[in-house]
Amino acid sequence: MKLNAIALTTAAFTVLALGFAPNAKADCSEATLKGHFAYTSIGPIVANAPASILGPSAEVGVQYFDGRGGVSFKYNASTNGSIGPGTGTGAYTVSDDCTGTFTETSEGFTSHFSFVIDENGVGFQGICQDTGVVVTRSGRRQFLGGDWK
């Protein structure tokens, strides 16, 4: 009889605790991505771009989100075998469900990405949304002092 009473008490406590457990809800904003993020982008550019950049593409760099919707980039890229550094600027938005978009404009060319924030703002995973581009991006927060632009 004691065992049944303990089991019932445990079951009742579990049901009660689960009933009061808060629902998981993301609560993201532009401020969630404030800071420097080391990133890697990789994938082919297959159409709708200047012939000089059609082909395999890879890029590593630092992406700085200002916490208010502005973003800047410093990178080194290999585009169809042509290697070199670059910089860019853009804008970003974040929805409260931790998804968002950003643009990257560099040398007169603008790319559009969709992304999702992961690990409470420690990183993000993105994909280019431009026709003819099959590029993904993965970024992780850096802990740098100072600002660059």
Side-chain angles (χ1 to χ4, degrees):
M1 198 70 162
K2 268 186 169 179
L3 188 54
N4 284 341
I6 292 172
L8 283 173
T9 303
T10 302
F13 177 76
T14 302
V15 168
L16 186 62
L18 290 175
F20 288 110
N23 293 330
K25 180 185 178 297
D27 191 19
C28 289
S29 69
E30 284 76 12
T32 305
L33 281 181
K34 185 175 181 178
H36 296 84
F37 289 75
Y39 74 86
T40 300
S41 290
I42 190 163
I45 300 171
V46 298
N48 297 324
S52 63
I53 65 171
L54 289 177
S57 172
E59 181 177 311
V60 296
V62 177
Q63 188 166 344
Y64 174 73
F65 296 93
D66 69 4
R68 298 179 311 276
V71 61
S72 55
F73 309 83
K74 280 187 176 181
Y75 61 87
N76 202 349
S78 175
T79 306
N80 200 25
S82 180
I83 300 170
T87 61
T89 59
Y92 73 103
T93 61
V94 175
S95 299
D96 62 357
D97 67 354
C98 298
T99 61
T101 61
F102 68 80
T103 59
E104 177 180 353
T105 301
S106 179
E107 300 176 25
F109 187 78
T110 300
S111 300
H112 304 85
F113 282 80
S114 292
F115 66 87
V116 62
I117 299 170
D118 61 15
E119 297 186 43
N120 293 318
V122 173
F124 67 90
Q125 308 299 316
I127 187 165
C128 186
Q129 297 294 286
D130 297 327
T131 302
V133 180
V134 189
V135 171
T136 60
R137 179 169 293 181
S138 180
R140 284 279 167 259
R141 185 178 299 277
Q142 284 187 317
F143 297 99
L144 299 177
D147 230 1
W148 58 263
K149 290 191 179 186

